[in-house]
Amino acid sequence: MSDGLTIAGKTYGSRLIIGTARYPNMQVMLDAIRASGAEVVTVGIRRINLEDPSGESLIDLIDRERYELLPNTAGCFTARDAVLTARLAREALETDLIKLEVIGDEDTLFPDVSGLLEATDELIRDGFTVLPYCNDDPVTCKKLEDAGCAAVMPLGAPIGSGMGIRNPYNLRIILDTVDVPVIVDAGVGTASDAAVAMELGCHGVMLNTAVSGARHPVLMAEAMGQAVRAGRLAYEAGRIPKKLYATASTPMEGAVTHE
């Protein structure tokens, strides 16, 4: 591909961001990350034991020379908790990158927009590079960009649902509305979902459950990596327009006819 995913001035060769939760075991997780080709790996800071640094933890297993760690504030339901978690992540992992989540509802895991904007403002002032998980709402995405976010991460469908891209039209409007990268986060269930997101023009895909919950996570991780690449190439190539009627691919001139 002609380019990569650029976030806050740093470019990654892969446009796939992969998570680390709910794998059958740590070895499968590591094999899946490798098979995906991803260069950015997101980790839930609440899953890291910050009180006992002497024991082996998730982050000890991930080669930080090879992968960029993207801590997230998963499980936070208030702006205050999200900001505190982000600060703990920066201290523990020595990175200003944060995937910001402020959840508003336990059943849908949809974001709390007001809490998200509040936490974003505070973290931006605190020097963080904020990548917010948000609704597929162009107005919210524009407000997050204006607040200083390095990218926006609208959901494709509810977290872990595997329902794919439910509202491609909103994603297209978001792409027209903001200038920062748009990374689809949540809802991807299989490789074709990832390809669709990229064919729309999204700059990247973030996923976890689609790989960790697959029957063969390592194979699915490889499929996702290839789908993201294929979708981006298709977007760059420019698809043909959809038409109701056929257009012959072979010219009719010179066709053999019986007279």
Side-chain angles (χ1 to χ4, degrees), residues 6 14 19 31 43 70 77-78 89 100 103 105 124 156-157 175 181-182 187 198 216 219 246:
T6 300
S14 173
D31 291 344
V43 294
L70 173 61
F77 285 81
T78 68
L100 179 61
I103 302 301
D105 177 70
I124 292 293
L175 288 161
V182 176
M198 299 304 296
H216 299 293
L219 286 178

Side-chain angles (χ1 to χ4, degrees), residues 6-235:
T6 300
I7 300 174
K10 184 170 182 179
T11 300
Y12 305 94
S14 173
R15 292 176 176 272
L16 176 63
I17 301 174
I18 194 167
T20 53
R22 300 184 180 277
Y23 286 86
N25 57 62
M26 289 294 189
Q27 188 59 55
V28 171
M29 178 198 74
L30 294 172
D31 291 344
I33 292 172
R34 188 177 304 110
S36 74
E39 297 174 22
V40 181
V41 178
T42 185
V43 294
I45 194 65
R46 292 191 170 197
R47 298 177 58 225
I48 301 171
N49 189 352
L50 301 177
E51 296 180 357
D52 182 18
S54 61
E56 186 177 58
S57 72
L58 173 65
I59 58 174
D60 295 320
L61 300 174
I62 298 174
D63 182 0
R64 298 192 64 179
E65 295 294 321
R66 183 173 182 178
Y67 302 107
E68 181 90 58
L69 286 186
L70 173 61
N72 66 59
T73 63
C76 292
F77 285 81
T78 68
R80 180 180 179 181
D81 285 349
V83 169
L84 174 60
T85 302
R87 288 171 176 161
L88 290 172
R90 180 163 64 181
E91 182 177 348
L93 304 181
E94 298 180 339
T95 179
D96 290 326
L97 278 175
I98 193 71
K99 177 174 177 273
L100 179 61
E101 299 183 28
V102 182
I103 302 301
D105 177 70
E106 291 187 13
D107 294 323
T108 64
L109 299 181
F110 284 159
D112 177 342
V113 174
S114 61
L116 182 64
L117 290 168
E118 178 185 344
T120 294
D121 286 339
E122 187 162 353
L123 291 174
I124 292 293
R125 289 197 301 270
D126 207 11
F128 281 87
T129 300
V130 178
L131 284 66
Y133 159 68
C134 57
N135 295 311
D136 56 346
D137 170 27
V139 175
T140 298
C141 288
K142 183 60 178 172
K143 287 182 177 180
L144 290 165
E145 179 187 37
D146 290 345
C149 291
V152 292
M153 305 182 75
L155 54 84
I159 291 174
S161 69
M163 292 176 64
I165 308 303
R166 294 295 84 200
N167 196 338
Y169 308 104
N170 271 27
L171 290 178
R172 288 174 61 183
I173 296 171
I174 291 169
L175 288 161
D176 287 341
T177 301
V178 303
D179 294 320
V180 295
V182 176
I183 302 169
V184 169
D185 179 14
V188 169
T190 191
S192 58
D193 299 331
V196 166
M198 299 304 296
E199 288 172 4
L200 288 170
C202 293
H203 302 87
V205 172
M206 158 66 208
L207 53 82
N208 188 144
T209 307
V211 169
S212 65
R215 188 165 65 250
H216 299 293
V218 179
L219 286 178
M220 184 60 81
E222 183 177 357
M224 290 297 186
Q226 293 186 19
V228 167
R229 290 191 292 273
R232 180 63 183 184
L233 284 172
Y235 170 74

